[in-house]
Amino acid sequence: MFKNNNVEQAIDARDALAKGIYAYLFEWLIQRINISLAKDHGTKEAVSNEHTSIIGVLDIFGFETFDWNSFEQLCINYCNEKLQFHFNNHIFQLEQTEYKSEGIDVSQITFVDNQPCLDLFELKGTGIFATLEEERQVPKG
C-alpha cells in the first residue's frame, strides 16, 4: 500500500514510526530483564507479586512505581537524573571546592551520587541506550 504524503505528513509518519520502534524496544528490554529476574523467583508474575526485584528510577520528584512504564517515562526519568546530577555537582561538589579554595571551613555535606544510575543509561556498549541502539541497528543480533 502506498500513500502520497506532503513533507509535514511524511515527517509525522517518520516520527510516529521511530516512537513506535523505540517503545517496542523498551517493552522488549524490560520483558527480558523481568524474565531474567524471574529465574531466581520462579515466574515473572512472582517477581511482580512479591516485589522482591523491581526496576525503578529515583528522580528529583520522588520514587514512582507504575504498573506499566513507557519509553517516554524512561526518557523523563533519565532527564530528571541528569538534572539531579548537575544540581548535585554544582551545589555540593563545586561549591564545596570553591569554599575550600577560599579558606572557608565548611563541613562536608554527604549526598548520594547518582552517576552509577546515569551510567546504567549512558555507558557505551552496555548502557540501556546503547543496547536499544544496537537492537535497532541489528535486530535479533
Side-chain angles (χ1 to χ4, degrees):
M1 172 188 278
F2 292 96
K3 179 181 177 190
N4 292 328
N5 291 326
N6 63 32
V7 172
E8 185 177 332
Q9 290 170 325
I11 289 171
D12 288 344
R14 178 205 61 200
D15 292 348
L17 179 62
K19 179 181 173 184
I21 290 169
Y22 271 94
Y24 176 81
L25 285 172
F26 176 74
E27 292 165 18
W28 174 85
L29 179 64
I30 296 302
Q31 181 183 29
R32 298 294 300 164
I33 292 170
N34 285 337
I35 289 169
S36 176
L37 291 172
K39 288 180 184 175
D40 296 333
H41 300 282
T43 66
K44 176 170 62 172
E45 290 76 21
V47 171
S48 297
N49 293 337
E50 296 171 16
H51 299 289
T52 54
S53 300
I54 62 169
I55 299 171
V57 177
L58 179 62
D59 63 30
I60 58 179
F61 301 109
F63 189 79
E64 300 169 287
T65 302
F66 297 104
D67 291 332
W68 181 260
N69 270 310
S70 65
F71 182 69
E72 288 91 350
Q73 187 62 45
L74 175 76
C75 292
I76 290 166
N77 289 343
Y78 168 70
C79 289
N80 286 338
E81 287 296 323
K82 280 299 256 195
L83 288 171
Q84 185 66 46
F85 174 80
H86 288 292
F87 174 82
N88 289 347
N89 185 50
H90 180 74
I91 296 300
F92 297 120
Q93 293 175 333
L94 297 177
E95 289 295 321
Q96 284 184 10
T97 302
E98 185 175 338
Y99 290 156
K100 282 182 184 177
S101 71
E102 294 174 357
I104 300 172
D105 184 25
V106 293
S107 58
Q108 285 291 340
I109 299 171
T110 58
F111 65 95
V112 176
D113 184 4
N114 68 340
Q115 186 62 55
C117 183
L118 291 173
D119 290 344
L120 181 67
F121 288 98
E122 298 173 337
L123 281 178
K124 303 289 185 216
T126 58
I128 291 171
F129 292 137
T131 302
L132 288 172
E133 181 65 14
E134 181 180 336
E135 186 62 25
R136 184 195 64 81
Q137 291 178 353
V138 185
K140 298 181 183 180

